[in-house]
Amino acid sequence: MRDIVALKIIHQALSEGRNFLYEYESKELLSLLGMQTMKSLLAKSLEETELAAKNIGFPVVLKIVSPEILHKSDAGGVLIDLKNAQEVKSGYFKIINNVKSKVPQANVMGILVQEMAPPSIEIIAGATRDPQFGPTIMFGIGGILVELIKDVSFGIAPLNKTLAEEMIHKIKSHGILEGTRGLPKADTNEIVNILLKLSEVMTDYPEIDTLDLNPIIVYSKGLKIVDARFILGKGERVESEIQPKALELGALLEPKSVAIIGASKNFDKIGYKILKNIVDAGFNGGIYPINPTAGEILGLKTYASVLDVPEKIDVGVIVVPAQVVPSVIEECVKKEIKGVIIISSGFRDIGQEGAKLEKGILEIAKKGKLRIIGPNCQGVSNPKVGFCATWPLIKKVGNIAVISQSGSIALEIPSFLSKNELGYSKAIALGNKSDVNEAELISFLADDEGTRVITVYSEGIPDGRKLMNAIEKASQKKAVLFLKGGKTEAGKRGVMAHTGSLAGEMKVFEAAIDQSGGICVKNLDELCNAAIAFVTLPVPKGNRLLIITSSGGSGILGSDACEEADLVLSNLSMNTLEKLKKSLPSWCIIRNPVDLTGNVLNNVQLYNDALEIVLDDESVDMVMLIFGDPIPNALETVKHGIDKAFSLGIPVVVNYLGGAEVQIVETEKLQKNGIPVFSTPNQAIIALSYMNKYRENLLKLKNINMN
Ligand code: ADP
Ligand code: MG
């Protein structure tokens, strides 16, 4: 019954050629959907307006109803707090005159007479449909000022109680709801209920494209939805495949044999470089260069086609020109190769013609159960088995995996890690992502034993739901660090509704990753530094940081960086402070940061003394050691303390600066021993803050799953 009446309202509007509902229709719909609205009556004349006001009871509000006017107050179409019949009468003429002068072409359908809600905190709740993630709910503060303040949060439907509460906590001015400066403590339970309702409505009614409840006036008990706006759309139901299928990727990323299709003798050609890198990386499976004329390359016999190779082939790396790729793919299918990595460009990357070609090869591959990475990609590298089908060759094996749409970034991360004495488990450049994409790889790497941290760079994803699912599963086991490139403008819905205009792709994306337990970082530096922290350190048990420094200034910069990063400085107990006083010389400054001052150069052992004492303090969840001078033997000095910290599950980061030549030597030693060293306090704090975020995410995932 509810659905029939609700759909009737929606279809009535659509049949009149309107893609929006009038306020009174919106309100009728809201109450059908179980959201309490305010008393209001539609009046078509002065007499009806006067009568309606009397029936509702003073004070009242008058609002214009016109298909040409969506933002009523901009047109002078809202008058509030009319206290008696006289004010209603003059208000009636005033509102009509306002509208006539501001929007002369407006057809006035009537006046909505509404009960007056007492003033209180104004919030907005809304919903829109994101092209990648589907129904998305928004919450914000500020009522009509929301676009100026832009303090909003997003949640991807379906929401549950935990997620809705998170959305409320996430906004910056969240404190306004806590009851400060004469404002009441807002009834957040009721706000949660509204957000949950919106989530339900967006799932149940695909015809609703975007909706704003703006403002909702919130009291200490209850709330009032003062204005509602529904924008209608085509109503297509988009069903997406929820479970990413991580099939057959093992063979693609860890093959036992490989054919390089388009291998070359020419040193300058990619077809040579890839073959050489696979050989140099020590790949010990079968390597088959495919080239009709060469005879032999790098001492390996060549074949004219994969079909001529007598042995089984797991993977083909394709470097031939785009036009030849379809026939090569057919041969690969015939040879029962499991997957191909298409390096060649000239597909979707060059426009429509190329896109057609890409679609064609995908069809052949799908039929033949052949998986594709690329085309237009920089290949795959798995240094552990020497399968380095990419360039440049980076050999250092470690536990960080890289998935990147961009080839340079796919290889830059391993190269940065190498410089920091760390390695990678797999680097996968995705290029056009015609088949294998981020979601599937994240699912695969979640179960990959060699991978402890997953880093992703992506410019856009085809199916947001699938990605969320993959991240949620993986995050329970290991951190997924996500860098999204390519900011785009807010949706085209901008003009019609606040929620649409505020739902920029980036904000919704970040909300979606966060909701799934992933970590969104802001730039490549953060991605690299966070990866280093995650792979070397235990996850902290809280957000309280202790700093031990020789440099007062760096200690201050570190402390300053904490606030922005949601970390706080540990409050050491009296007992710990006493112990520090007893064991450190009088020139040390005993507080947090513990400042050993430059004098520590005379006795570097003090670093370890201080560290071991603070580790016993209950308030210390993580430690930053700042070597702010040319401190010699840094590693040897603090090794014992750091081992103790790690065994207690307390992460310790080192920040080495101001140490010139000594710094270079000591940094390398520390890093070689698995201790992360950052060159500025800020970098170290940001890396720690992401670890803290991951801790929170794990708790959140637990709550969501229990909810
Ligand atoms: P629009 O968003 O189309 O300009 P609204 O209906 O939201 O129009 O009204 C504009 C502002 O007037 C609201 O943000 C709110 O501050 C105030 N207002 C509107 N209706 C009421 C009401 N019934 N009670 C109290 N204040 C109201
Ligand atoms: Mg409004």
Side-chain angles (χ1 to χ4, degrees), residues 126-130 133-139 152-160 163-164 166-168 170 195 198-199 202 465 468 499 503 507-516:
T128 186
R129 287 184 195 278
D130 182 82
F133 295 99
T136 302
I137 314 303
M138 184 182 89
F139 167 73
V152 293
S153 62
F154 293 90
I156 314 298
L159 294 180
N160 61 20
L163 291 171
E166 267 251 328
M167 286 176 65
I168 299 174
K170 256 199 214 159
L195 297 176
L198 292 187
S199 162
M202 291 301 277
R465 288 264 140 206
M468 285 179 75
T499 306
K507 278 193 189 146
V508 175
F509 198 90
E510 278 170 10
I513 302 292
D514 186 49
Q515 191 171 318
S516 344

Side-chain angles (χ1 to χ4, degrees), residues 548-566:
I548 301 173
T549 183
S550 71
S551 148
S554 311
I556 289 173
L557 289 179
S559 312
D560 289 350
C562 281
E563 192 173 318
E564 179 89 336
D566 266 341

Side-chain angles (χ1 to χ4, degrees), residues 681-696:
N682 201 47
Q683 278 177 4
I685 295 287
I686 290 174
L688 282 175
S689 82
Y690 285 124
M691 298 208 74
N692 177 51
K693 179 90 189 113
Y694 183 59
R695 172 187 67 85
E696 291 174 347

Side-chain angles (χ1 to χ4, degrees), residues 399-403 424-427 445 451-456:
N399 300 106
I400 297 170
V402 186
I403 302 168
Y424 66 113
S425 58
K426 288 171 183 82
L445 293 169
T451 298
R452 294 214 332 262
V453 180
I454 303 171
T455 60
V456 188

Side-chain angles (χ1 to χ4, degrees), residues 450-472:
T451 298
R452 294 214 332 262
V453 180
I454 303 171
T455 60
V456 188
Y457 168 75
S458 172
E459 287 152 21
I461 37 134
D463 186 338
R465 288 264 140 206
K466 227 166 160 179
L467 180 75
M468 285 179 75
N469 234 279
I471 293 181
E472 188 176 330

Side-chain angles (χ1 to χ4, degrees), residues 72 144 214-215 227 229 498:
K72 300 176 292 289
I144 51 169
N214 185 29
D227 185 21
R229 179 172 307 151
H498 302 280

Side-chain angles (χ1 to χ4, degrees), residues 63 70-73 143-144 212-215 226-229 498:
K63 297 186 188 180
L70 268 172
H71 297 282
K72 300 176 292 289
S73 34
I144 51 169
D212 280 345
L213 308 182
N214 185 29
V226 161
D227 185 21
R229 179 172 307 151
H498 302 280

Side-chain angles (χ1 to χ4, degrees), residues 75-79 91 93-104:
V78 178
L79 293 177
F93 292 112
K94 189 172 169 198
I95 208 168
I96 294 206
N97 280 335
N98 281 350
V99 167
K100 271 205 181 127
S101 67
K102 289 206 171 136
V103 192

